[in-house]
Amino acid sequence: MKAPSRTGGQILVDQLLVHGVDHIFCVPGESYLAALDALHDADINVTVCRQEGGAAMMAEAYGKLTGRPGICFVTRGPGATNASPGIHIAKQDSTPMILFVGQIERGMREREAFQELDYRAAFGPLAKWATEVDDPARFPEIVSRAFHVATSGRPGPVVIALPEDVLTEVTGVADAPPYQVIETHPSLGQMAELQKLLHGARNPVVLLGGSRWSETAVQRFMRFAERFDLPVACSFRRQMLFPADHPSYIGDLGLGVNPKLVARIKEADLILMVGGRLSEIPSQSYTLLDIPSPRQKLVHVHPDPSELGRVYAPHLAVNASPIAFSAALESVHPPATLPWSEGTKASHESYLAWSDPKGIRHPGPLQMGEVMAHLRETLPAETIFCNGAGNFATWVHRFWPFRKYGTQLAPTSGSMGYGLPVAVGAKRFRPESPVVVFAGDGDFLMNGQEFATAVQYDLPILVILLDNGMYGTIRMHQEREYPGRVSATMLKNPDFAAYAKAFGGHGERVERTEDFAPALERALASGKPAILHCLMDPEAITPSMSLSAIREKALASQS
């Protein structure tokens, strides 16, 4: 049977439907009008964003929460380069994502036509694969490959450039079959070796990270940890991989980590690392394990064979996804006695003490310890917490107990401006979930325009915006390295409550601890996107140290 004739844009959108796409994020552009026209009649939800960086981050959030590629469309040239932060995040965070970029007509190439860019060269180092479609008949092949590349092995972003005339050209071609994630499984011998190593251990520790997890995989791993009474830590910004209220949980390896957790891992005789890479932040600048040969016996489980032995030489390397590995754990049986049980209990108690916000005091009339304690009492475990980068994120990572899979959106790449757009994206495709953004003043305004997107789609997200009038993290480092020499870190901010109201949302200014709870109640009751503009004393730079204390310590070390 002869395939029907369709425009390239229609063929492209039909492939998205074949592969199960139900939502895309975009900023429109004339370079891909034919694809936009095909989307008009497609059963695909379209979220129109205000800037390409925000659109790409929303797509990355979709990939992070669902395990399916997040889809983003942007226009050529500056549209594509604006989207590049989302590509970098997806690469470092191992998130499946596909970015479609409009492109000039084929016959205009290499003349530096309007907004012309070589996308293979520009995005090759950032993406898992960057390509350009030269023939509309190849859309089924190339889009199918993009879905397989984005989801298999270590997931990541794919960039596909769409020449304008390829999208309007008509041809006949059959659709590709739906993609299938390429799964890798541990062997029986590897699981037997893991059991042998666990039986011989006296002080094991489990580290969970990376992607290619699922709710089922998390539950299976939780049961495994229970049977062995194993201590389990999560990698940087991967806290949703194990419930914080579980007696096996011992904390996360992030910034400002619990010193007792670091000591616990350094003292381990066996480390089971599943899904993660133990990169710079979780490894505490590559100090936890010796490179290339760790002192501890290391079992490294990862879906991409190129990551096994890349930095750390494992005692046992298992090329498997966390989903497949967790399914195989039922075959591993604990020893008759568990010599590490007391250590697990002590480490969990240490985590509970470290993460308790009550009693935390810092300069200023608005006490974030009390704010976090109130949030823990008020918000349900299903709340999705979103944040970008900055010292403000410590309040979430240290003091919010993540208890459910799919409730954390935070960039392991450390990208500022991430929290607001991904909250919009999360609420767009998970409207039943409460969504909260933690943002700093500098962080928020990097993608603050996406608050308009939240208003446009009636998405009642809550933004808790901590305003200390500066790029606080950089100022903290400045005081440590160049004490008293403040340079390029001060900010003059708007009234963020008025900002929220100007867009059509709910906004309130919070200056004292006692003002927060009633303001939170009103914001949640408003049914609108809301900003609580929380005024912070600049001295309250971390939960444990003031800015002046950091400066004085640095000056003392120099004298």
Side-chain angles (χ1 to χ4, degrees), residues 332-410:
V332 182
H333 302 289
T337 59
L338 302 173
W340 53 78
S341 287
E342 286 302 314
T344 300
K345 181 180 179 182
S347 293
H348 180 64
E349 290 174 350
S350 173
Y351 159 72
L352 292 177
W354 177 256
S355 61
D356 186 356
K358 295 177 180 177
I360 296 290
R361 303 293 300 176
H362 57 71
L366 179 58
Q367 291 295 315
M368 285 304 299
E370 294 183 44
V371 166
M372 292 308 302
H374 181 69
L375 291 174
R376 287 166 66 131
E377 295 167 358
T378 306
L379 299 178
E382 293 75 20
T383 303
I384 299 174
F385 269 82
C386 312
N387 65 267
N391 274 27
F392 65 87
T394 301
W395 295 106
V396 178
H397 298 333
R398 179 171 168 181
F399 299 110
W400 176 258
F402 289 92
R403 288 153 285 173
K404 299 282 187 179
Y405 179 74
T407 60
Q408 185 177 27
L409 288 170

